Amino acid sequence: MITALKTDTGKVRQHNEDAAGIFTKEEAVLAVVADGMGGHLAGDVASRMAVAAMEEQWNQAETVPSLPSDCEVWLKDRIHEANAKVYDHAKANEECRGMGTTVVCALFTGKFVTVAHIGDSRCYLLQDGEFTQLTEDHSLVNELVKTGEISKEDAEHHPRKNVLTRALGTDETISPDARSFELSDGDQLLLCSDGLSNKIEDHEIKQMLQAESAPQEKVDLLISKANQNGGEDNITAVLIELSADAKEGEDKC
């Protein structure tokens, strides 16, 4: 397994309110991407607190679940605990009132991955030449698409595209989603903030992942492409490739 991570402020914003991490424990790997929002620098606080909370809980866990159903429960519980920390911090600090963050995370424990998320940060899977979005955006425009009020094409340019229906830290009670998927050697999993997914078409992301290059080079290219296409938002990508042979210069778990 080869991992790569990069986060970038982009070309317009002054601060990076994205946060990400890749954490390992024996043969298991937890990857997390968070995209913060709300107030002056409060988004930065929310996203970093969420990732830090996930890392802390990961480090404190004596064992990692081995069954997909158990992993789904475990990840949801961790997101709920992270939510409590961010929500309580926002209540206690006036400058952080209303802050929140998206979270998408992936837990690998063998030949499957469990993906959990809240918000519109995404997880994609490239498997046997098929490129699939594993997460469903918790956003207003996605709800409008699901009800048939607007098309997917209209959603891409909708003026309220960034309005979320669910986020971490904004409410005391939240409802993250979690699903598990089988994996095999050669599969690639991409976690990203909407600063990437909003600026690069799916077919372009697929092409870049299929390139004969190391995961870190692919991540760097994705970030560069998003910036070339405007870079109006912060951009974060985590790429994990299931491979028996790590390329030189890459992190191998």
Side-chain angles (χ1 to χ4, degrees):
M1 184 181 295
I2 314 165
T3 64
L5 180 158
K6 186 171 183 178
T7 184
D8 188 86
T9 303
K11 297 176 66 177
V12 175
R13 299 197 175 185
Q14 298 299 311
H15 305 284
N16 192 347
E17 296 187 336
D18 286 0
I22 302 173
F23 315 112
T24 61
K25 187 188 297 288
E26 297 179 352
E27 297 300 316
V29 177
L30 174 67
V32 185
V33 169
D35 179 358
M37 59 192 182
H40 179 63
L41 295 183
D44 171 54
V45 173
S47 63
R48 293 183 185 278
M49 281 189 67
V51 173
M54 297 292 290
E55 180 182 16
E56 180 182 10
Q57 294 176 79
W58 174 259
N59 291 335
Q60 291 176 350
E62 295 182 2
T63 60
V64 178
S66 58
L67 298 176
S69 59
D70 293 337
C71 285
E72 290 166 20
V73 172
W74 191 89
L75 271 185
K76 283 185 176 181
D77 286 347
R78 304 291 78 75
I79 291 176
H80 280 292
E81 291 182 34
N83 180 74
K85 289 190 174 184
V86 175
Y87 181 76
D88 289 346
H89 185 86
K91 283 179 59 179
N93 296 271
E94 181 66 32
E95 69 276 11
C96 293
R97 296 286 172 85
M99 76 175 183
T101 184
T102 70
V103 168
V104 61
C105 49
L107 173 59
F108 299 81
T109 60
K111 289 299 181 180
F112 72 90
V113 62
T114 299
V115 177
H117 84 293
I118 186 165
D120 63 354
S121 291
R122 294 180 178 179
C123 180
Y124 295 97
L125 174 65
L126 180 62
Q127 184 177 65
D128 297 327
E130 294 293 327
F131 186 68
T132 307
Q133 182 179 330
L134 301 184
T135 53
E136 182 178 289
D137 293 351
H138 297 146
S139 65
L140 174 62
V141 293
N142 190 50
E143 291 299 320
L144 295 176
V145 170
K146 288 165 63 178
T147 58
E149 295 183 51
I150 64 172
S151 67
K152 287 186 177 180
E153 291 73 21
D154 291 336
E156 292 302 316
H157 306 287
H158 196 280
R160 302 188 70 188
K161 180 177 176 63
N162 294 327
V163 177
L164 300 182
T165 55
R166 299 189 224 171
L168 186 150
T170 56
D171 294 290
E172 190 171 6
T173 302
I174 60 169
S175 180
D177 291 336
R179 296 174 61 193
S180 297
F181 307 87
E182 292 187 0
L183 298 176
S184 57
D185 287 347
D187 290 352
Q188 297 181 63
L189 202 77
L190 174 68
L191 285 71
C192 67
S193 61
D194 67 346
L196 180 69
S197 57
N198 282 345
K199 303 308 297 182
I200 310 178
E201 299 289 341
D202 285 3
H203 69 90
E204 294 179 292
I205 297 176
K206 177 183 177 181
Q207 289 177 351
M208 284 185 265
L209 294 184
Q210 289 178 318
E212 291 295 328
S213 55
Q216 189 62 55
E217 294 173 347
K218 296 177 184 179
V219 165
D220 292 344
L221 182 60
L222 286 165
I223 300 292
S224 177
K225 182 66 173 179
N227 275 320
Q228 288 175 21
N229 290 344
E232 293 91 350
D233 200 354
N234 307 143
I235 314 160
T236 299
V238 169
L239 181 61
I240 300 177
E241 180 179 318
L242 274 69
S243 174
D245 301 314
K247 299 176 179 63
E248 184 178 355
E250 299 299 320
D251 292 329
K252 183 175 181 182
C253 300

